[in-house]
Amino acid sequence: MALNNTTLHSDINSSMKKSERILIVQVLVMVFLYINSLLIFTFFKEATFYTNTRYIFFAHTLICDCVFLFISDLPLVLVYFQIPMPAGLCVIICVVMIILTFATPLTLTAMSVERYVAICMPLRHAEISTPHRALYGILVIHAFSVLQSFVVLPIFVASVPLRFYITYRICSVEMLIVNSWQSHLKSAASQFYFLIMSSTIIFTYIKILNAAKMASTDRKKKSTSKCLKTVILHGFQLVLSLFLLWCPFIEIAVLEINLELFVNLRYFDYIAFILAPKCLNPLIYGLRDDHFYIVLKHYAFCGLNKKIHPKFIDQ
């Protein structure tokens, strides 16, 4: 009887601990979704923002982050409590997550290139950096992001019977890996993407750094210095994105060893490499960009403070 009571007490404590952890994640997700939603609302309320390339890319990252947080939260909760879900729904969620995993770092790379053009090619910036080209750039970004899903999805669809999609499974991206070579191919493709993105960001940083050294006026020095800091933050976000790309390969190895350890590792990865990078976007543009910050304050305070009305933005 004593042993049964001890076991019951241990199970209750374990359940409470899981509930507390999930509650923490839900609070963080809700906070980030609220902040990102406010930033998206601010973007669409001012016409000057969605006619500017860097703000278009910024809004795109916010939308991608919001969708990713929203759809990845449900599998995390179900996995943590080891609750199965329909396999067909899980496949759809996993494919969208794979696409959005690459959409954000690719957009960050495009934003760094835009800053490079603004600083190093100022006379051609207005010609090159246009809203239409930004939209075409977003289409290209999603085209490259979709390519990643073709590494695993067609083979998965061809390998599993139709009845598989109505079965209930613990939802995980690893479920899409049918053959071990797919995992290696997916890893190689991810590393190639990262190499291209990191090389591009390093190139833009070096070019902007050289422009900063050659700046002749204090205003230009201040502008280039701010661009350098922005590119550095983009690089840091890219490093966090690289860790996110590695996480599935580490998790699948842990899953074969111990399910409980896999669940705890996935919880840590979600906090460190999904939630943490998503909070950097508001920091980079929502707070550091003077124009956007003024308009954001106006709508954050529901327009009550007339001193920060958008009409006071310097055009």
Side-chain angles (χ1 to χ4, degrees):
M1 180 64 71
L3 181 59
N4 290 337
N5 289 337
T6 302
T7 303
L8 179 61
H9 184 70
S10 176
D11 291 341
I12 293 174
N13 287 338
S14 177
S15 178
M16 290 179 62
K17 185 177 180 180
K18 286 184 177 181
S19 298
E20 290 174 358
R21 285 187 173 185
I22 289 298
L23 180 61
I24 292 172
V25 170
Q26 299 313 302
V27 171
L28 291 174
V29 169
M30 290 301 107
V31 169
F32 292 150
L33 284 176
Y34 170 75
I35 294 173
N36 285 1
S37 299
L38 180 60
L39 291 167
I40 293 170
F41 175 81
T42 302
F43 168 80
F44 283 107
K45 288 295 289 185
E46 292 299 319
T48 55
F49 291 148
Y50 52 80
T51 57
N52 188 305
T53 301
R54 59 175 172 152
Y55 293 122
I56 293 173
F57 282 138
F58 173 52
H60 179 250
T61 61
L62 291 173
I63 294 171
C64 288
D65 288 348
C66 282
V67 175
F68 188 91
L69 286 175
F70 184 77
I71 68 169
S72 64
D73 186 49
L74 176 61
L76 174 73
V77 174
L78 296 180
V79 167
Y80 202 76
F81 289 105
Q82 300 181 26
I83 301 173
M85 70 182 300
L89 178 60
C90 178
V91 170
I92 294 173
I93 290 175
C94 290
V95 170
V96 175
M97 287 173 59
I98 290 173
I99 294 172
L100 294 180
T101 295
F102 287 91
T104 295
L106 285 169
T107 307
L108 294 175
T109 305
M111 292 169 76
S112 295
V113 172
E114 191 277 334
R115 289 292 82 200
Y116 157 73
V117 173
I119 296 300
C120 300
M121 306 169 66
L123 298 179
R124 298 191 60 195
H125 181 249
E127 174 191 350
I128 296 174
S129 184
T130 64
H132 283 91
R133 289 190 176 182
L135 295 177
Y136 289 139
I138 290 173
L139 291 177
V140 172
I141 286 168
H142 281 283
F144 277 104
S145 301
V146 168
L147 286 177
Q148 274 291 315
S149 63
F150 284 112
V151 175
V152 294
L153 189 59
I155 297 174
F156 173 81
V157 172
S159 301
V160 300
L162 289 177
R163 64 178 180 275
F164 172 84
Y165 298 100
I166 60 174
T167 61
Y168 281 75
R169 303 294 178 101
I170 298 295
C171 187
S172 171
V173 176
E174 293 77 20
M175 185 181 70
L176 300 180
I177 304 297
V178 178
N179 303 302
S180 59
W181 63 266
Q182 286 179 273
S183 179
H184 299 310
L185 180 61
K186 186 172 181 292
S187 176
S190 299
Q191 303 311 314
F192 176 75
Y193 273 44
F194 175 77
L195 177 63
I196 297 299
M197 290 185 289
S198 58
S199 299
T200 302
I201 288 182
I202 291 172
F203 170 81
T204 58
Y205 175 81
I206 293 174
K207 289 295 185 179
I208 294 174
L209 181 63
N210 291 335
K213 293 178 179 179
M214 298 174 62
S216 57
T217 63
D218 291 338
R219 183 175 181 179
K220 189 173 181 179
K221 287 180 180 179
K222 183 179 179 180
S223 176
T224 53
S225 176
K226 194 168 185 177
C227 284
L228 279 174
K229 292 176 182 177
T230 300
V231 172
I232 290 173
L233 286 171
H234 287 331
F236 179 65
Q237 283 182 286
L238 191 63
V239 171
L240 292 178
S241 299
L242 173 65
F243 286 131
L244 179 59
L245 299 180
W246 284 343
C247 285
F249 305 107
I250 300 173
E251 290 172 359
I252 195 171
V254 173
L255 179 60
E256 296 176 358
I257 300 172
N258 185 279
L259 179 59
E260 186 69 24
L261 183 59
F262 165 78
V263 170
N264 291 329
L265 178 62
R266 170 148 292 188
Y267 175 84
F268 172 79
D269 289 342
Y270 192 84
I271 295 289
F273 304 124
I274 294 180
L275 288 183
K278 305 307 179 190
C279 73
L280 285 178
N281 269 337
L283 173 64
I284 293 176
Y285 276 95
L287 300 180
R288 292 182 68 249
D289 188 279
D290 295 335
H291 289 184
F292 198 93
Y293 180 60
I294 292 174
V295 184
L296 177 64
K297 284 178 65 177
H298 171 73
Y299 290 113
F301 288 100
C302 303
L304 296 177
N305 191 343
K306 302 302 180 182
K307 293 182 179 179
I308 56 174
H309 191 275
K311 70 180 181 180
F312 290 102
I313 298 179
D314 294 328
Q315 300 296 335

